[in-house]
Amino acid sequence: MKLEKITKRPRGACKDSSARRYDDACGAAHALDLIGERWALLVMRELMFGPKRFSDLRADLPGISANVLTQRLERLEEIGALTRRKLPPPAASHVYELTPWGYEIEPVLSVLGRWAARSPLHDPTLPLSAASLMLSFKTMFDASRAKGLNARIGFRIGDETFLVRIHGGKCDAARQALEGAEVVFAGTARAIAAAVYGGAPLAALEAEKALAIKGDRALAERFTRLFPLPQKA
Amino acid sequence: MKLEKITKRPRGACKDSSARRYDDACGAAHALDLIGERWALLVMRELMFGPKRFSDLRADLPGISANVLTQRLERLEEIGALTRRKLPPPAASHVYELTPWGYEIEPVLSVLGRWAARSPLHDPTLPLSAASLMLSFKTMFDASRAKGLNARIGFRIGDETFLVRIHGGKCDAARQALEGAEVVFAGTARAIAAAVYGGAPLAALEAEKALAIKGDRALAERFTRLFPLPQKA
DNA sequence: CGGCATCCGGGAAGATACTG
DNA sequence: CAGTATCTTCCCGGATGCCG
């Protein structure tokens, strides 16, 4: 039982120190060297609306383990995509924030999202984070359906608030106070997604207490129809 | 010797069949479930200019192993991003070709490439495939530098030929015969990249026999300046 | 030759427990 | 709360062998 442990090593080579990189000048390949590891891009996604703490990231990325999150944050800092800051005295905690170049990852998230939305295997009923939902609005917004619309729609998801502005055929979203919102959705990101992408009637979601709407109801209804999903491939 | 094969499985759980997926409705997360595994996106990149055989892919993706390539091709076929066809009788071989939806991955490659080009760690002198080079032209083309230019530039790389058309402020590339090319570059993709992105003088590359240019030399010179790299982050 | 099956070694990912 | 330490499982990469 205590036999051949080390003896033979002629097979199963191990290209020494060359790590696991694509040695490829192609930009896409280099991007994968930088952020192609598991969870890396989703960590950046969660930071797209501003800094967060370690535990916020853990909570918003269900399934990631603490050690993997630590490794990804270290790597993202190493490549210059995020910075780690110490909060002022009251809180002895750290926050992680994307650098300007880090924020430029947004088009990658958009384009990947649009591509995957055409996948027959895509299941829009799975849970999602608040950041994912806000990004999906920016990604899936259909300007032609928002002709002449100028609105501020608020969202209260957990203890965060977001303001989505629709103005001049553009759709922008930010994590900020709800001042000036003509209507406010309060609920889980999943419930809001059910209304916008799943076609669930607002009244039904409210009846289930999954969603609460305050303000201009007609605007809320119209809002849910501004984000058509593409045809499946 | 035929004992405990399954017996103990108390720790290091294995969430049964849930595999290693992000259970996340976010489009980007789903995209990573589909093509986030190592090499998957680069396999698609190599197919962007038309079908290839297994051995072509292996040759153009230095470092991939046969079993991994097999797995990736199976997965890409499973999700509907590519198809596997049998060639007509003379050749008993197979070719792999992207589906229309698979071809739509191009913006992902572009956007990733543009983002990574700003990375301080990006090394444009590494080797690259012909497909990568042609994609980089489409990605990095600067219309403002090509004002009034209308040209067909040919490339002979290994035993493949590509035609790049610059016309009306657009830049397109295809794997096809070189008919109508006003100038033809022949050499490795790396040598051509050295001229376009590394600023290497054409004369020097020709002197080293790394590159051969036939046709309109002035056009060749101008072509090399149409693809500026972005500022580093 | 083309493509796949299989085995092996190493390392990354994941779960849990633990520390400041 | 914010991570670190450790252990297990699984993926990746290389080599070899089979089969048409």
Side-chain angles (χ1 to χ4, degrees), chain B residues 11-227:
Chain B
R11 6 174 24 141
C14 154
K15 233 194 247 171
D16 58 277
S17 68
S18 84
R20 198 177 285 196
R21 305 231 167 115
Y22 309 108
D23 282 321
D24 194 320
C26 167
H30 182 57
L32 294 176
D33 278 338
L34 296 175
I35 54 165
E37 289 173 293
R38 202 165 152 73
W39 292 108
L41 192 58
L42 301 190
V43 169
M44 297 185 77
R45 179 192 75 190
E46 287 307 314
L47 294 174
M48 283 305 304
F49 292 95
K52 285 188 180 181
R53 287 171 307 176
F54 190 90
S55 324
D56 297 328
L57 289 168
R58 276 200 82 175
D60 294 332
L61 292 169
I64 198 173
S65 57
N67 50 6
V68 170
L69 180 54
T70 299
Q71 289 171 33
R72 293 303 168 272
L73 291 170
E74 279 171 358
R75 174 74 177 149
L76 290 171
E77 185 175 17
E78 178 188 334
I79 67 172
L82 67 75
T83 58
R84 169 202 171 117
R85 283 204 329 260
K86 216 182 184 76
L87 283 179
S93 176
H94 291 172
V95 288
Y96 300 89
E97 181 168 22
L98 294 182
T99 61
W101 177 57
Y103 279 111
E104 290 175 21
I105 206 65
E106 183 175 344
V108 171
L109 296 168
S110 288
V111 158
L112 274 176
R114 259 196 293 270
W115 184 78
R118 296 200 57 202
S119 162
L121 287 74
H122 184 216
D123 179 1
T125 68
L126 291 171
L128 81 170
S129 71
S132 302
L133 182 66
M134 293 301 136
L135 279 172
S136 79
F137 291 154
K138 298 178 75 171
T139 299
M140 294 304 180
F141 179 68
D142 180 349
S144 71
R145 297 194 182 197
K147 276 265 168 65
L149 185 60
N150 192 340
R152 295 171 163 232
I153 296 101
F155 295 88
R156 185 182 306 283
I157 298 171
D159 52 2
E160 291 182 317
T161 61
F162 295 84
L163 193 63
V164 172
R165 267 177 256 202
I166 293 170
H167 176 71
K170 300 275 183 196
C171 177
D172 197 19
R175 194 172 72 192
Q176 63 171 76
L178 299 184
E179 50 191 46
E182 291 133 74
V183 60
V184 175
F185 292 76
T188 63
R190 197 176 188 172
I192 299 167
V196 174
Y197 299 112
L202 294 183
L205 291 165
E206 287 181 284
E208 294 170 17
K209 310 275 187 214
L211 193 60
I213 298 173
K214 280 193 181 156
D216 184 339
R217 247 203 115 65
L219 176 59
E221 296 279 2
R222 179 166 183 198
F223 178 83
T224 64
R225 297 193 200 96
L226 298 179
F227 310 93

Side-chain angles (χ1 to χ4, degrees), chain A residues 25-53:
Chain A
C26 167
H30 181 57
L32 294 175
D33 278 338
L34 296 175
I35 53 163
E37 290 173 292
R38 198 164 155 75
W39 293 107
L41 193 58
L42 301 189
V43 169
M44 297 185 77
R45 179 193 75 190
E46 287 308 313
L47 294 174
M48 283 306 302
F49 292 94
K52 284 188 180 180
R53 287 172 306 175

